[in-house]
Tab-separated table of all heavy atoms in Angstrom:
chain	number	residue	atom	x	y	z
A	1	ASP	N	102.281	98.401	104.143
A	1	ASP	CA	103.114	97.227	104.393
A	1	ASP	C	103.534	97.140	105.857
A	1	ASP	O	103.531	96.061	106.461
A	1	ASP	CB	104.358	97.263	103.498
A	1	ASP	CG	104.031	97.049	102.026
A	1	ASP	OD1	102.935	96.527	101.735
A	1	ASP	OD2	104.861	97.411	101.172
A	2	GLN	N	103.893	98.277	106.438
A	2	GLN	CA	104.358	98.276	107.829
A	2	GLN	C	103.260	97.874	108.800
A	2	GLN	O	103.541	97.251	109.829
A	2	GLN	CB	104.913	99.652	108.208
A	2	GLN	CG	106.275	99.953	107.626
A	2	GLN	CD	106.990	101.053	108.390
A	2	GLN	OE1	106.826	101.208	109.591
A	2	GLN	NE2	107.798	101.827	107.688
A	3	ILE	N	102.021	98.225	108.499
A	3	ILE	CA	100.940	97.877	109.423
A	3	ILE	C	100.158	96.645	108.942
A	3	ILE	O	99.064	96.354	109.426
A	3	ILE	CB	99.979	99.065	109.643
A	3	ILE	CG1	99.310	99.504	108.339
A	3	ILE	CG2	100.725	100.244	110.273
A	3	ILE	CD1	98.310	100.647	108.525
A	4	ASP	N	100.758	95.906	107.987
A	4	ASP	CA	100.226	94.624	107.506
A	4	ASP	C	98.827	94.743	106.911
A	4	ASP	O	97.925	93.950	107.223
A	4	ASP	CB	100.221	93.588	108.642
A	4	ASP	CG	101.629	93.241	109.100
A	4	ASP	OD1	102.525	93.156	108.243
A	4	ASP	OD2	101.835	93.073	110.323
A	5	VAL	N	98.635	95.722	106.056
A	5	VAL	CA	97.378	95.873	105.328
A	5	VAL	C	97.645	95.545	103.860
A	5	VAL	O	98.323	96.291	103.157
A	5	VAL	CB	96.817	97.305	105.461
A	5	VAL	CG1	95.591	97.486	104.569
A	5	VAL	CG2	96.457	97.610	106.915
A	6	ASP	N	97.149	94.407	103.410
A	6	ASP	CA	97.407	93.972	102.033
A	6	ASP	C	96.455	94.623	101.033
A	6	ASP	O	96.864	95.033	99.951
A	6	ASP	CB	97.284	92.448	101.936
A	6	ASP	CG	98.377	91.727	102.720
A	6	ASP	OD1	99.504	92.260	102.780
A	6	ASP	OD2	98.088	90.655	103.282
A	7	GLU	N	95.176	94.690	101.409
A	7	GLU	CA	94.161	95.281	100.538
A	7	GLU	C	93.444	96.389	101.299
A	7	GLU	O	93.270	96.309	102.517
A	7	GLU	CB	93.144	94.229	100.085
A	7	GLU	CG	93.742	93.143	99.207
A	7	GLU	CD	92.687	92.144	98.777
A	7	GLU	OE1	91.837	91.770	99.623
A	7	GLU	OE2	92.698	91.736	97.609
A	8	PHE	N	92.994	97.393	100.570
A	8	PHE	CA	92.388	98.535	101.245
A	8	PHE	C	91.557	99.353	100.261
A	8	PHE	O	91.742	99.295	99.045
A	8	PHE	CB	93.473	99.425	101.867
A	8	PHE	CG	94.627	99.736	100.942
A	8	PHE	CD1	94.540	100.780	100.025
A	8	PHE	CD2	95.777	98.963	100.966
A	8	PHE	CE1	95.588	101.063	99.169
A	8	PHE	CE2	96.831	99.232	100.101
A	8	PHE	CZ	96.742	100.284	99.197
A	9	HIS	N	90.639	100.125	100.830
A	9	HIS	CA	89.947	101.169	100.092
A	9	HIS	C	90.820	102.420	100.170
A	9	HIS	O	91.599	102.591	101.110
A	9	HIS	CB	88.578	101.463	100.717
A	9	HIS	CG	87.710	100.252	100.869
A	9	HIS	ND1	86.877	99.798	99.863
A	9	HIS	CD2	87.542	99.393	101.921
A	9	HIS	CE1	86.235	98.719	100.280
A	9	HIS	NE2	86.614	98.447	101.530
A	10	VAL	N	90.674	103.310	99.206
A	10	VAL	CA	91.453	104.551	99.252
A	10	VAL	C	90.598	105.714	98.762
A	10	VAL	O	89.861	105.598	97.780
A	10	VAL	CB	92.767	104.426	98.440
A	10	VAL	CG1	92.487	104.136	96.970
A	10	VAL	CG2	93.630	105.668	98.586
A	11	ALA	N	90.667	106.811	99.523
A	11	ALA	CA	89.947	108.031	99.154
A	11	ALA	C	90.924	109.192	99.200
A	11	ALA	O	91.770	109.268	100.108
A	11	ALA	CB	88.776	108.284	100.109
A	12	GLY	N	90.848	110.084	98.230
A	12	GLY	CA	91.765	111.216	98.200
A	12	GLY	C	91.087	112.471	97.705
A	12	GLY	O	90.235	112.420	96.814
A	13	ASN	N	91.472	113.592	98.306
A	13	ASN	CA	90.940	114.894	97.917
A	13	ASN	C	92.021	115.720	97.245
A	13	ASN	O	93.161	115.753	97.717
A	13	ASN	CB	90.415	115.639	99.150
A	13	ASN	CG	90.076	117.095	98.880
A	13	ASN	OD1	90.663	117.999	99.444
A	13	ASN	ND2	89.124	117.325	97.990
A	14	SER	N	91.679	116.382	96.133
A	14	SER	CA	92.586	117.312	95.456
A	14	SER	C	93.892	116.597	95.083
A	14	SER	O	93.867	115.579	94.399
A	14	SER	CB	92.823	118.526	96.355
A	14	SER	OG	93.452	119.574	95.655
A	15	MET	N	95.040	117.106	95.529
A	15	MET	CA	96.314	116.433	95.279
A	15	MET	C	96.270	114.993	95.779
A	15	MET	O	96.813	114.076	95.147
A	15	MET	CB	97.445	117.192	95.963
A	15	MET	CG	98.808	116.538	95.862
A	15	MET	SD	100.040	117.342	96.919
A	15	MET	CE	99.482	116.820	98.553
A	16	GLY	N	95.601	114.784	96.922
A	16	GLY	CA	95.465	113.427	97.456
A	16	GLY	C	94.694	112.507	96.535
A	16	GLY	O	94.894	111.292	96.549
A	17	GLY	N	93.806	113.080	95.721
A	17	GLY	CA	93.104	112.279	94.732
A	17	GLY	C	94.041	111.757	93.659
A	17	GLY	O	93.909	110.620	93.192
A	18	ALA	N	94.990	112.597	93.257
A	18	ALA	CA	95.991	112.152	92.285
A	18	ALA	C	96.859	111.047	92.885
A	18	ALA	O	97.231	110.087	92.196
A	18	ALA	CB	96.858	113.331	91.847
A	19	VAL	N	97.184	111.164	94.170
A	19	VAL	CA	97.958	110.116	94.853
A	19	VAL	C	97.155	108.820	94.878
A	19	VAL	O	97.690	107.734	94.603
A	19	VAL	CB	98.327	110.556	96.285
A	19	VAL	CG1	99.064	109.433	97.013
A	19	VAL	CG2	99.182	111.827	96.263
A	20	ALA	N	95.857	108.925	95.193
A	20	ALA	CA	95.004	107.738	95.205
A	20	ALA	C	94.939	107.089	93.817
A	20	ALA	O	94.991	105.865	93.685
A	20	ALA	CB	93.598	108.118	95.682
A	21	LEU	N	94.837	107.910	92.779
A	21	LEU	CA	94.839	107.393	91.407
A	21	LEU	C	96.138	106.656	91.093
A	21	LEU	O	96.119	105.587	90.462
A	21	LEU	CB	94.665	108.548	90.414
A	21	LEU	CG	93.255	109.030	90.128
A	21	LEU	CD1	93.286	110.365	89.391
A	21	LEU	CD2	92.488	107.993	89.307
A	22	LYS	N	97.250	107.219	91.532
A	22	LYS	CA	98.553	106.600	91.266
A	22	LYS	C	98.666	105.247	91.962
A	22	LYS	O	99.146	104.275	91.369
A	22	LYS	CB	99.662	107.543	91.737
A	22	LYS	CG	101.087	107.034	91.474
A	22	LYS	CD	101.369	106.903	90.001
A	22	LYS	CE	102.833	106.514	89.752
A	22	LYS	NZ	103.063	106.117	88.330
A	23	ILE	N	98.217	105.180	93.206
A	23	ILE	CA	98.241	103.907	93.935
A	23	ILE	C	97.385	102.870	93.215
A	23	ILE	O	97.809	101.727	92.991
A	23	ILE	CB	97.732	104.110	95.376
A	23	ILE	CG1	98.694	104.986	96.179
A	23	ILE	CG2	97.528	102.767	96.080
A	23	ILE	CD1	98.147	105.433	97.525
A	24	ALA	N	96.154	103.256	92.833
A	24	ALA	CA	95.233	102.317	92.184
A	24	ALA	C	95.716	101.897	90.804
A	24	ALA	O	95.504	100.759	90.380
A	24	ALA	CB	93.846	102.954	92.090
A	25	SER	N	96.370	102.824	90.104
A	25	SER	CA	96.887	102.523	88.776
A	25	SER	C	98.079	101.568	88.848
A	25	SER	O	98.188	100.630	88.045
A	25	SER	CB	97.305	103.822	88.074
A	25	SER	OG	97.989	103.571	86.871
A	26	ASP	N	98.973	101.798	89.805
A	26	ASP	CA	100.177	100.966	89.918
A	26	ASP	C	99.914	99.620	90.582
A	26	ASP	O	100.577	98.627	90.271
A	26	ASP	CB	101.255	101.710	90.711
A	26	ASP	CG	101.841	102.886	89.951
A	26	ASP	OD1	101.500	103.046	88.756
A	26	ASP	OD2	102.626	103.652	90.544
A	27	HIS	N	98.943	99.588	91.514
A	27	HIS	CA	98.679	98.353	92.270
A	27	HIS	C	97.177	98.106	92.381
A	27	HIS	O	96.614	98.097	93.489
A	27	HIS	CB	99.306	98.444	93.664
A	27	HIS	CG	100.789	98.514	93.632
A	27	HIS	ND1	101.590	97.402	93.509
A	27	HIS	CD2	101.622	99.589	93.679
A	27	HIS	CE1	102.866	97.775	93.499
A	27	HIS	NE2	102.913	99.091	93.596
A	28	PRO	N	96.497	97.885	91.264
A	28	PRO	CA	95.043	97.660	91.309
A	28	PRO	C	94.662	96.424	92.113
A	28	PRO	O	93.542	96.360	92.648
A	28	PRO	CB	94.655	97.522	89.829
A	28	PRO	CG	95.921	97.130	89.140
A	28	PRO	CD	97.022	97.809	89.884
């Protein structure tokens, strides 16, 4: 939001993968 990115790709490794899943699940 701060850098004005409305849509984006997301990649996460290990714990970061769970974070990526949470973002995609909450805001597909």
Side-chain angles (χ1 to χ4, degrees):
D1 291 341
Q2 285 200 32
I3 61 178
D4 295 322
V5 174
D6 293 326
E7 295 181 319
F8 47 84
H9 306 273
V10 61
N13 170 243
S14 192
M15 176 189 72
V19 177
L21 277 167
K22 182 64 175 169
I23 294 170
S25 171
D26 290 353
H27 295 278

